[in-house]
Amino acid sequence: MSEHAALLDVAREAVAKATAIVRSRPSFSVSAKGDRDLVTDVDTAVEDALREFLTAETPEIGVLGEERGRSGDGGGRWWALDPIDGTANFARGIPLCGISLALVDGEHSTVAAIALPYLGVTYTAARGEGAFANGERVGASAATEMSDAMIAVGDFAIGRLAEEKNATRLRLLSDLGARAQKIRMLGTAAIDLSWVADGKLDAALILSNNPWDTMAGVLLVREAGGAVVDRDGSEHTVGSSSTIAVAAGLRKEIVDALDRAYGVVR
């Protein structure tokens, strides 16, 4: 078994453990961790359990989690973990949330697993091996016309500079809304990116790049034949400012729309 295959088995087992925790907790506590930003005790329970599991299984690899930060020295390799992506949905009983886990090596992810605990689907990928949903290969959309495109847009900004950032988002929504088939705001990058990989969405525009949110989904989209770029159309890396996942045939139109929203002239 190759190293990537072995590590994918670890990732798959980790998100299965997380799914069991999420689905076994009928009640939970919710608290604020910032401006309109929530955390539940299920988020922390999942992260603590997966940190313990990953550290035991792969002690040579570090971990970066949304709730507990970074631990371990992986020499450039680390697990990027979001224990519940879409916490606000989860806290309200909306079944659109996911557990996102990626192995990051240098600037890119090489292994990914995203479990959607209330939808019964686990998406997996290893670099060069394709993308899968419950073991069945998936592929990105073949759309080439904006009028055929269903596009997910990430949440509005909160906190510092939110007003300025949201003015840009509103310009982008106006532009896309006038030309795309439909716009969706699902509230979870894990689902946005998984569904681009699965061809259910034609693009997902996430104007931020927290690695625990995005790095698993980025690999899924690429392995499914889609494109993932930064806001300016350059190659997406762990250090990018934005995460723009798109069917390859719509890449230029989406980047052009972003340029207009940000007032960029090329």
Side-chain angles (χ1 to χ4, degrees):
M1 179 184 293
S2 71
E3 184 186 31
H4 279 164
L7 291 171
L8 182 57
D9 282 347
V10 171
R12 190 182 289 111
E13 186 174 352
V15 299
K17 289 179 179 292
T19 295
I21 295 170
V22 170
R23 293 188 62 86
S24 70
R25 299 285 287 266
S27 62
F28 48 85
S29 63
V30 182
S31 57
K33 63 177 182 179
D35 177 24
R36 292 169 287 162
D37 195 8
L38 305 178
V39 63
T40 74
D41 59 351
V42 183
D43 292 80
T44 53
V46 169
E47 181 158 332
D48 290 345
L50 265 58
R51 279 181 177 277
E52 181 179 358
F53 173 75
L54 292 169
T55 300
E57 293 291 319
T58 57
E60 73 283 5
I61 300 173
V63 180
L64 173 65
E66 179 176 13
E67 308 305 338
R68 304 294 196 195
R70 189 182 291 272
S71 62
D73 179 11
R77 292 202 303 172
W78 41 280
W79 294 105
L81 167 65
D82 193 335
I84 300 180
D85 185 63
T87 297
N89 287 349
F90 171 73
R92 288 176 174 263
I94 298 169
L96 299 180
C97 61
I99 299 107
S100 183
L101 181 64
L103 177 65
V104 181
D105 188 347
E107 294 191 323
H108 301 284
S109 38
T110 57
V111 167
I114 293 177
L116 309 183
Y118 298 113
L119 302 183
V121 182
T122 297
Y123 289 93
T124 56
R127 187 167 62 188
E129 301 295 332
F132 298 84
N134 289 350
E136 298 293 325
R137 187 180 289 270
V138 295
S141 162
T144 59
E145 301 293 334
M146 284 290 287
S147 59
D148 296 328
M150 183 173 284
I151 300 171
V153 178
D155 287 341
F156 281 97
I158 56 177
R160 183 173 174 271
L161 302 179
E163 184 174 357
E164 176 184 336
K165 293 176 180 178
N166 288 332
T168 302
R169 284 164 169 76
L170 288 169
R171 289 193 295 271
L172 180 61
L173 285 169
S174 178
D175 185 317
L176 296 174
R179 298 182 298 118
Q181 184 186 90
K182 297 292 180 183
I183 305 296
R184 294 289 182 259
M185 188 174 282
L186 303 175
T188 157
I191 288 182
D192 288 349
L193 296 169
S194 295
W195 284 358
V196 172
D198 202 0
K200 298 178 187 298
L201 295 170
D202 303 291
L205 281 56
I206 302 163
L207 301 183
S208 62
N209 187 42
N210 295 319
W212 50 82
D213 287 334
T214 60
M215 293 307 291
V218 166
L219 182 63
L220 283 170
V221 173
R222 284 179 168 156
E223 289 297 318
V228 190
V229 297
D230 202 347
R231 194 180 74 203
D232 61 359
S234 62
E235 179 188 23
H236 181 279
T237 71
V238 71
S240 292
S241 65
S242 299
T243 304
I244 311 302
V246 60
L250 293 171
R251 175 174 176 164
K252 183 180 186 306
E253 284 210 61
I254 293 294
V255 172
D256 287 349
L258 286 159
D259 283 348
R260 290 190 292 271
Y262 281 90
V264 174
V265 178
R266 298 186 191 279

